[in-house]
Amino acid sequence: MDYKRSNILGRIDWLTVIMYLALVFFGFANIYSSAYRENHPQIFDFSQRYGKQFVWIIAALFLAILGVMINTRFYYFFAWPIYILSILSLIAVLMIGATIHGSRSWIPLGPFHIQPAEFAKVATALALAKYMSYYNRTLSQFKTLLNVSLMIFLPAALIMLQPDMGSTMVYSAFILVLYREGLPTSILIVGFLFALLFILTLVLDKTIVIAGLLILTVILHLFIEKKMKITLKAVIVLLLTGTFLWGVSRLLHRNFSFYNIIFFSLLAGGLAFIPFLYRYKLKRSAILYLILIGSVFFAFSVNYVFNNVLEEHQRKRINIVLGIESDPYGSGYNVNQSKIAIGSGGFTGKGFLHGTQTKFNFVPEQSTDFIFCTVGEEWGFVGTFTMIAFYVFFLLRILFLAERQRSSFNRIYGYSVFSLLAFHFLINIGMTIGLFPVIGIPLPFFSYGGSSLWAFTILLFIFLRMDAERMEIAF
Amino acid sequence: MKDYDQYEVRKYVIGGLVLLSAFIVIIKLFVIQVVDKSYQLSASNNVLRYIPQYPARGLIFDRNHKLIVSNEAAYDLMVIPSQVTAFDTTEFCNILGVTTEEVENGIRKAADYSELKASVLVKQLSARTYARFSEKMFKFPGFYVQPRTIRYYNYFVAPHMLGYVGEVTESIIKKDPYYNMGDYIGVSGIEKTYEKVLRGEKGVNIYLVDVHNRIKGAYKNGRYDTAAVVGKNLVASFDKDLQEYGEYLMHNKVGSIVAIEPATGEVLCMVSSPGYNPSLLVGRDRTKYFPALIKDTLKPLFNRAVMASYPPGSTFKVVNALIGLQERVIFPSSTYGCAPGYYAPGVYVGCHIHRTPLNLKGAIQNSCNAYFCHVFRNILDNPHYPSIYQSFESWRHYLESFGLGHRLGIDLPNELSGFLPDTSYYDRYYHKNGWSSLTLISMAIGQGELGLTPLQMANLAATIANRGYFYTPHVVKAIEGNLTIDPAFRLKHKVAVDSSNFRIVIDGMDLVVNGEPGTGSTARIARIDGIRVCGKTGTAQNPHGKDHSIFMAFAPKDNPKIAVSVYVENGGFGSTYAAPIASLIIEKYLRGKITRKWLEERMRNTDLIHGLQKK
Ligand SMILES: [Zn+2]
């Protein structure tokens, strides 16, 4: 037993462990800085956030050790009970949870508040790995796909009821796992495109959206058919009809709207394209083209519904979620202040503890969801670049570890770890710099908060144990 | 060994996706951190301190350009909690004359609002305290003094019209970004309606502040500072002497006086009694007096002239007379008897003993109830209309044209609309077709559901004085500079009664005051030698106590200069108090002095409040 344990410790991927520790430490330094006041200089002041975070880090380290100690077999055999338990905890929180900031997300446990949604990610990852690793289950089977979707959808839906939109959206990260395990590309792309289209139509100008759709179609067409000439011809037909229609409208001094021209040239271009389709039997291109037309329709109808069907307050809410409302002191306040803080760091930053924006509460939620602001302000572009590079390296290391697994159970779980961390990382930073609407999810290992730190630690270290054991067991 | 995995290649797509996203994030970071300097600028906004420069509020003059409201300097002690370090509290409190708890609570409250923004800690220090504190200010970091101006009243008159100034509430701050915590705003009266004109525009001085929020000097040598723009002065329409006199007469009485210049709609005086001394609501005294004024059962803060509604009583008879004439259901020569009183199946309206029968003029002079019951029934049972629904609506339409049943639109806040029932009101109260002119008979003599504000009553007097039109009453005559008052106040409102029909009614109102002794004139007490006063008495039935005494009048009869309404609550008959007070007001305004000292004395010394409270 002793031998075996030291063996395990010897085979742990220490590079990942060290990177984990570095991230946690750097995160703590930033929490310390953002909460730092001259009159509270001690690090171990437990009335301050950094003091509490210190306690949580210590606890997280114990959890890490525990995670490594437990045999992979345990997770494999208890994947379902863990999943069910976590679903029950999500139901429980809806009934007995404490409401903080308008969401019923917390179960009070003595002096702590536990957020079951954070731990549900681990459980879902385990269950998914277990289900999908059964022999001869492939995602091209409709039934498997349906069951897998349900397994992801169930916790996501329960979290949505709290309501916690951010944590709900995190579950979309599992799509990457499914993709790796054979989800047909078309489903992925179509789903992704429509989600993107929905948001883009509301955020961007319709013209840009439609232009983007056109370009995308052309690229995809090239990608699928690998026939440069036909694609080129199609583009030329489109451009010509567009120019022609535009010219006609000019000559007639008619005020054709820009959208009409785009729309009719699309239609005309499509009709002109039909003979090509027949001649070269470009079935897939035809589908692609139909999808394009459908998307344009979709974009217009989203816009129409948004502007003409929704009530004012509903519009406002969506606008707030999408961060469109340009009201620097209202709903857009967070992003605005966050961008100012990060932007003011300049190239080299203001130096550790010398940030001005992230102190004095200019940036709300600065130690939780907006911890990246402190990095940006105090360490400048040099700091943010280094941190992102480091984080990406960390993620790719996990990807590498996942790929080297011999069992699909391990691999699927590893991919879940990777996907969840990558999603949190990209979306969190994206929202602090205005690339993504503010949905309030933490930056793993960085943000202040016990539940998220613990959950991510457990998530990671279960995988490190699997990795250490990869040569011994294969499910 | 591993099984063949056809999807393994997808790891590159996934890895690539993450790399690509990270790349986009880095580009965006490069833009906001290195390329775009505007974020650095914005950040400096966060560490610049904007100290507002408060302009003096506009002055308020009366119609004769006497200065009524001006300003005096006051000094607010401000605190920025994040800058406060340990200090000698005893010395601090001694200089300022406050207690340690007040200071501690104040700082805590300020910190709750904002650690970084300044809050008022002690309001309106006197100039002497300010001087003493200035000497020692260096000992107290985090505190500074903000000069302000507060209202100063040269005469303690017209509190309801002038209104008062107070601190903005949180809900206003949320709605209007102009205001910050601790700013002043007009809360009532002219101060409220003309807030934007009076307040001017705040300026701002920008200072550089270091990481510890200490001022390091003017930002860019004050290049971006803006100067405060002083508020505009107003000329109110009231006559200070007349207003003062009205308040003097209404001493110890509950009620109101409203006087209007018929040719312009300018309010010459507006008394609501009891009132209060406006200077009590300024500065630190305010916390002392305001709660008492709020608690007072006689509601001294309440502007009865526009916010109270009473039945018009017999003054309303002249309106029914005008409508009857216009509808051609009565004529100047129409004669009706009085029993005394009016008898109809199931209905009896009493009257007093007077000569009978009377024509229209005589009926107004004697205020005969029976006569006006006939007039009212003639109007509502006019065969010209298919049913009472149409005739009632027509009658109501006339009244609306007189400005009844809706707000007149005076430039004072919280004006009441009064009450004018409509047919659906009676349908609800009785049932459809369940009412007739007999049901509504009490409105013939101005009782029942009707409600008029004293302002509407004065406007009615002005409309009659003008023989058929009025200008919306207003209390501000002019705004300094090029700003004109609302053009709505220059708009002539013609009523639905032809001006030719007013002559006979005015003759009747003339007789009310100037009729030969023994002919039944109801308000001979309002007679002024040499001034032809026309008026009408009224008594508003009061279910809670003694009736209210009402009088409306205008003078002189030809080319009238003043129209007035007087309400004295619990004053009994219109002729007892309201008529003499109106008469004194008219004499004061037209002559500048009073010949009937005995009458003035009697009115001044009447106490209708304290006797009442003993009961
Ligand atoms: Zn009579």
Side-chain angles (χ1 to χ4, degrees):
Chain A
M1 203 51 192
D2 264 342
Y3 162 75
K4 211 179 172 189
R5 192 172 298 161
S6 65
N7 209 7
I8 285 292
L9 285 181
R11 283 193 237 146
I12 283 272
D13 186 54
W14 285 103
L15 180 58
T16 311
V17 175
I18 287 164
M19 283 198 283
Y20 161 81
L21 290 173
L23 286 173
V24 169
F25 176 76
F26 192 43
F28 176 74
N30 283 298
I31 291 167
Y32 177 71
S33 177
S34 73
Y36 173 77
R37 296 284 184 282
E38 280 183 334
N39 43 355
H40 290 285
Q42 302 94 343
I43 293 190
F44 305 110
D45 182 338
F46 296 115
S47 69
Q48 295 295 311
R49 288 201 149 181
Y50 45 81
K52 291 182 193 157
Q53 183 74 359
F54 185 78
V55 176
W56 288 328
I57 288 174
I58 299 298
L61 294 181
F62 277 106
L63 288 171
I65 293 167
L66 198 72
V68 171
M69 300 253 277
I70 296 172
N71 203 300
T72 307
R73 250 173 238 284
F74 171 84
Y75 300 117
Y76 183 78
F77 288 116
F78 287 95
W80 286 119
I82 291 171
Y83 181 75
I84 289 163
L85 207 68
S86 112
I87 293 293
L88 289 177
S89 76
L90 286 177
I91 294 171
V93 81
L94 287 177
M95 296 189 293
I96 59 159
T99 307
I100 297 174
H101 297 310
S103 298
R104 203 174 261 277
S105 312
W106 307 78
I107 292 181
L109 269 185
F112 301 108
H113 282 86
I114 301 291
Q115 217 179 344
E118 294 294 342
F119 298 96
K121 292 170 200 163
V122 184
T124 311
L126 283 172
L128 215 58
K130 168 121 183 181
Y131 182 79
M132 283 164 64
S133 63
Y134 283 138
Y135 184 67
N136 79 21
R137 278 213 174 127
T138 76
L139 286 171
S140 46
Q141 295 169 317
F142 178 72
K143 198 183 150 219
T144 316
L145 188 60
L146 183 72
N147 286 341
V148 165
S149 305
L150 282 177
M151 281 166 63
I152 298 169
F153 180 76
L154 183 60
L158 286 170
I159 292 165
M160 187 150 59
L161 291 176
Q162 292 179 356
D164 181 351
M165 276 317 288
S167 297
T168 308
M169 286 174 79
V170 163
Y171 282 79
S172 60
F174 284 109
I175 289 177
L176 276 187
V177 183
L178 302 187
Y179 174 69
R180 170 63 185 83
E181 294 305 315
L183 182 74
T185 319
S186 52
I187 294 184
L188 186 76
I189 289 177
V190 169
F192 175 74
L193 284 184
F194 274 88
L196 192 72
L197 196 61
F198 177 76
I199 293 170
L200 287 184
T201 342
L202 294 182
V203 177
L204 300 175
D205 193 84
K206 268 185 292 186
T207 325
I208 298 173
V209 174
I210 290 166
L213 278 171
L214 279 173
I215 293 166
L216 200 75
T217 317
V218 171
I219 292 171
L220 279 175
H221 186 255
L222 263 177
F223 186 72
I224 295 170
E225 301 293 347
K226 299 190 178 68
K227 281 178 182 150
M228 186 65 114
K229 270 188 189 167
I230 296 170
T231 314
L232 219 65
K233 277 179 193 164
V235 171
I236 288 167
V237 168
L238 263 180
L239 286 177
L240 281 179
T241 21
T243 325
F244 175 72
L245 281 170
W246 182 75
V248 167
S249 77
R250 267 302 160 100
L251 276 176
L252 295 177
H253 296 285
R254 279 288 174 82
N255 273 332
F256 267 138
S257 90
F258 191 59
Y259 305 114
N260 282 337
I261 294 177
I262 289 177
F263 197 72
F264 282 111
S265 58
L266 258 179
L267 214 64
L271 287 174
F273 197 49
I274 289 175
F276 287 104
L277 294 177
Y278 268 105
R279 202 187 310 163
Y280 299 102
K281 299 196 170 31
L282 301 177
K283 195 180 134 208
R284 280 183 293 182
S285 289
I287 291 171
L288 196 64
Y289 181 75
L290 285 177
I291 290 176
L292 172 68
I293 292 273
S295 310
V296 173
F297 260 116
F298 182 71
F300 276 97
S301 58
V302 164
N303 243 306
Y304 179 82
V305 167
F306 188 76
N307 291 320
N308 301 304
V309 180
L310 291 187
E311 304 264 334
E312 179 58 34
H313 67 274
Q314 291 167 320
R315 260 202 294 280
K316 199 167 172 100
R317 222 172 285 162
I318 293 176
N319 277 341
I320 288 167
V321 170
L322 294 177
I324 300 171
E325 296 266 299
S326 153
D327 168 18
Y329 294 104
S331 45
Y333 181 79
N334 286 18
V335 187
N336 202 45
Q337 288 299 321
S338 151
K339 278 161 90 175
I340 288 171
I342 295 171
S344 72
F347 189 72
T348 51
K350 298 176 186 169
F352 184 52
L353 302 184
H354 287 289
T356 51
Q357 304 299 304
T358 44
K359 295 183 179 46
F360 304 132
N361 300 318
F362 282 126
V363 181
E365 300 294 327
Q366 46 183 287
S367 57
T368 55
D369 299 342
F370 283 87
I371 189 69
F372 188 70
C373 295
T374 311
V375 183
E377 190 186 12
E378 298 191 347
W379 303 89
F381 181 68
V382 175
T384 54
F385 180 84
T386 313
M387 182 199 149
I388 288 169
F390 187 81
Y391 219 111
V392 168
F393 184 71
F394 173 71
L395 290 171
L396 292 180
R397 177 74 193 169
I398 295 170
L399 188 71
F400 170 77
L401 296 185
E403 279 296 342
R404 78 177 182 188
Q405 300 307 308
R406 294 177 358 136
S407 78
S408 46
F409 176 74
N410 285 8
R411 185 182 63 238
I412 293 165
Y413 183 78
Y415 258 94
S416 299
V417 176
F418 166 81
S419 305
L420 287 171
L421 290 177
F423 185 89
H424 273 94
F425 164 70
L426 289 170
I427 299 301
N428 177 281
I429 292 179
M431 74 189 197
T432 60
I433 57 180
L435 278 180
F436 204 83
V438 177
I439 58 170
I441 56 171
L443 183 57
F445 311 123
F446 255 71
S447 288
Y448 168 82
S451 284
S452 82
L453 176 64
W454 295 348
F456 285 121
T457 302
I458 293 169
L459 185 75
L460 179 66
F461 279 85
I462 288 177
F463 179 56
L464 288 181
R465 167 74 192 213
M466 288 179 186
D467 178 61
E469 277 184 302
R470 71 186 183 281
M471 302 308 249
E472 293 166 26
I473 330 152
F475 297 105
Chain B
M1 270 293 109
K2 274 201 271 188
D3 304 325
Y4 169 70
D5 184 350
Q6 56 164 322
Y7 298 116
E8 199 187 326
V9 64
R10 287 185 175 181
K11 71 183 176 190
Y12 297 112
V13 178
I14 293 171
L17 216 60
V18 169
L19 276 174
L20 183 74
S21 311
F23 185 65
I24 294 172
V25 166
I26 284 173
I27 287 180
K28 175 82 180 185
L29 278 169
F30 187 72
V31 169
I32 67 174
Q33 292 193 293
V34 183
V35 180
D36 193 342
K37 297 287 171 212
S38 70
Y39 290 106
Q40 266 120 308
L41 263 176
S42 301
S44 67
N45 286 343
N46 279 345
V47 284
L48 294 176
R49 188 188 298 156
Y50 295 80
I51 295 197
Q53 303 297 306
Y54 291 100
R57 243 178 129 74
L59 310 177
I60 303 177
F61 299 88
D62 88 335
R63 68 186 291 111
N64 302 316
H65 295 273
K66 268 196 198 111
L67 180 59
I68 308 293
V69 187
S70 53
N71 301 299
E72 63 178 338
Y75 306 92
D76 284 352
L77 180 69
M78 310 296 285
V79 60
I80 301 173
S82 64
Q83 293 178 29
V84 176
T85 55
F87 61 95
D88 185 346
T89 0
T90 331
E91 189 184 5
F92 185 84
C93 293
N94 280 340
I95 297 174
L96 297 168
V98 289
T99 66
T100 321
E101 291 95 72
E102 277 169 352
V103 171
E104 279 169 0
N105 288 336
I107 294 177
R108 201 171 308 128
K109 240 180 88 184
D112 282 345
Y113 166 60
S114 170
E115 282 273 343
L116 300 164
K117 289 189 196 157
S119 302
V120 183
L121 183 68
V122 185
K123 270 177 229 161
Q124 292 153 10
L125 304 174
S126 67
R128 244 183 65 211
T129 315
Y130 168 57
R132 277 178 63 202
F133 185 75
S134 298
E135 288 168 22
K136 302 279 170 68
M137 202 149 69
F138 68 94
K139 287 187 185 174
F140 308 112
F143 297 94
Y144 71 95
V145 172
Q146 168 90 59
R148 298 286 285 264
T149 58
I150 55 172
R151 280 311 206 189
Y152 177 79
Y153 292 89
N154 297 282
Y155 301 98
F156 303 148
V157 293
H160 303 98
M161 246 192 296
L162 296 171
Y164 59 92
V165 172
E167 256 179 70
V168 283
T169 58
E170 265 174 64
S171 58
I172 293 172
I173 296 173
K174 269 184 207 144
K175 265 185 269 163
D176 189 341
Y178 177 85
Y179 298 99
N180 287 323
M181 196 80 144
D183 283 4
Y184 294 139
I185 188 171
V187 179
S188 71
I190 291 174
E191 299 274 18
K192 182 173 181 178
T193 354
Y194 291 90
E195 163 69 11
K196 287 224 166 86
V197 178
L198 287 169
R199 78 182 182 194
E201 286 295 324
K202 277 189 287 191
V204 68
N205 283 2
I206 311 173
Y207 296 100
L208 272 174
V209 176
D210 67 5
V211 184
H212 308 292
N213 227 15
R214 284 188 288 252
I215 289 184
K216 288 290 173 195
Y219 175 64
K220 303 243 161 136
N221 290 320
R223 205 191 309 162
Y224 298 106
D225 295 0
T226 52
V229 180
V230 180
K232 295 259 189 309
N233 299 339
L234 293 183
V235 179
S237 65
F238 72 88
D239 177 316
K240 176 233 137 198
D241 293 336
L242 188 67
Q243 178 73 24
E244 218 166 38
Y245 187 61
E247 288 172 17
Y248 172 82
L249 291 178
M250 289 300 282
H251 182 68
N252 279 338
K253 289 169 246 349
V254 178
S256 63
I257 304 173
V258 179
I260 295 175
E261 185 177 67
T264 57
E266 288 165 10
V267 172
L268 299 171
C269 82
M270 180 184 279
V271 179
S272 174
S273 182
Y276 59 94
N277 179 346
S279 66
L280 295 182
L281 292 187
V282 173
R284 294 164 77 176
D285 290 343
R286 180 207 184 88
T287 38
K288 205 158 52 183
Y289 294 108
F290 194 73
L293 287 174
I294 286 276
K295 259 185 254 157
D296 194 326
T297 50
L298 294 172
K299 297 200 258 180
L301 288 171
F302 180 71
N303 185 1
R304 289 176 163 79
V306 296
M307 293 157 76
S309 162
Y310 309 87
S314 300
T315 55
F316 195 66
K317 287 172 184 166
V318 299
V319 184
N320 277 334
L322 287 166
I323 298 171
L325 288 167
Q326 182 71 21
E327 286 281 286
R328 307 187 64 75
V329 293
I330 52 152
F331 300 91
S333 55
S334 304
T335 310
Y336 293 103
C338 178
Y342 178 78
Y343 293 88
V347 165
Y348 165 65
V349 179
C351 195
H352 54 100
I353 294 173
H354 54 78
R355 62 197 162 90
T356 179
L358 291 167
N359 61 10
L360 179 56
K361 233 157 68 170
I364 294 175
Q365 179 190 12
N366 286 278
S367 195
C368 174
N369 286 348
Y371 190 95
F372 285 96
C373 289
H374 285 290
V375 172
F376 187 64
R377 289 200 65 192
N378 288 356
I379 294 171
L380 289 190
D381 299 337
N382 186 354
H384 177 73
Y385 295 98
S387 79
I388 192 167
Y389 283 86
Q390 284 76 18
S391 56
F392 184 89
E393 279 310 323
S394 155
W395 175 75
R396 196 172 186 281
H397 171 73
Y398 280 109
L399 297 178
E400 279 178 341
S401 79
F402 278 93
L404 308 185
H406 55 85
R407 289 187 190 90
L408 282 167
I410 193 174
D411 45 354
L412 285 175
N414 304 324
E415 187 197 350
L416 221 64
S417 60
F419 185 66
L420 198 54
D422 55 14
T423 50
S424 65
Y425 174 88
Y426 292 108
D427 282 348
R428 259 196 323 270
Y429 204 84
Y430 304 99
H431 53 85
K432 185 107 183 134
N433 296 318
W435 48 279
S436 67
S437 58
L438 272 180
T439 328
L440 314 185
I441 199 72
S442 60
M443 285 199 293
I445 55 167
Q447 308 294 353
E449 296 82 13
L450 286 167
L452 268 70
T453 64
L455 179 72
Q456 283 171 326
M457 181 69 81
N459 188 54
L460 190 60
T463 309
I464 298 168
N466 285 335
R467 277 79 171 163
Y469 66 87
F470 68 88
Y471 290 99
T472 303
H474 48 282
V475 294
V476 168
K477 199 175 143 75
I479 301 170
E480 171 212 52
N482 300 329
L483 294 173
T484 51
I485 57 167
D486 191 336
F489 296 134
R490 306 258 184 258
L491 213 71
K492 196 187 246 188
H493 298 276
K494 282 196 69 75
V495 298
V497 175
D498 294 340
S499 91
S500 57
N501 287 328
F502 280 84
R503 196 184 48 84
I504 189 76
V505 171
I506 289 173
D507 285 346
M509 288 172 71
D510 181 6
L511 285 177
V512 167
V513 181
N514 303 305
E516 289 303 312
T519 55
S521 301
T522 49
R524 276 187 55 84
I525 192 154
R527 228 176 73 85
I528 309 168
D529 279 332
I531 299 172
R532 201 112 184 132
V533 177
C534 301
K536 182 73 195 78
T537 53
T539 307
Q541 286 175 357
N542 174 18
H544 311 292
K546 211 176 160 198
D547 293 346
H548 305 318
S549 169
I550 309 175
F551 195 65
M552 76 162 173
F554 62 88
K557 184 179 180 187
D558 299 311
N559 195 12
K561 293 275 175 264
I562 180 170
V564 60
S565 79
V566 176
Y567 278 75
V568 179
E569 288 189 17
N570 312 113
F573 292 118
S575 52
T576 323
Y577 298 109
I581 288 173
S583 163
L584 288 166
I585 287 287
I586 289 169
E587 188 179 17
K588 174 79 180 175
Y589 180 68
L590 295 179
R591 284 230 181 93
K593 59 181 201 306
I594 297 297
T595 49
R596 297 162 294 165
K597 279 286 167 198
W598 60 272
L599 188 62
E600 177 187 302
E601 221 106 288
R602 198 165 84 194
M603 289 303 122
R604 160 74 183 180
N605 295 334
T606 303
D607 184 346
L608 293 175
I609 291 179
H610 301 95
L612 200 83
Q613 280 175 340
K614 262 179 233 153
K615 258 197 273 179

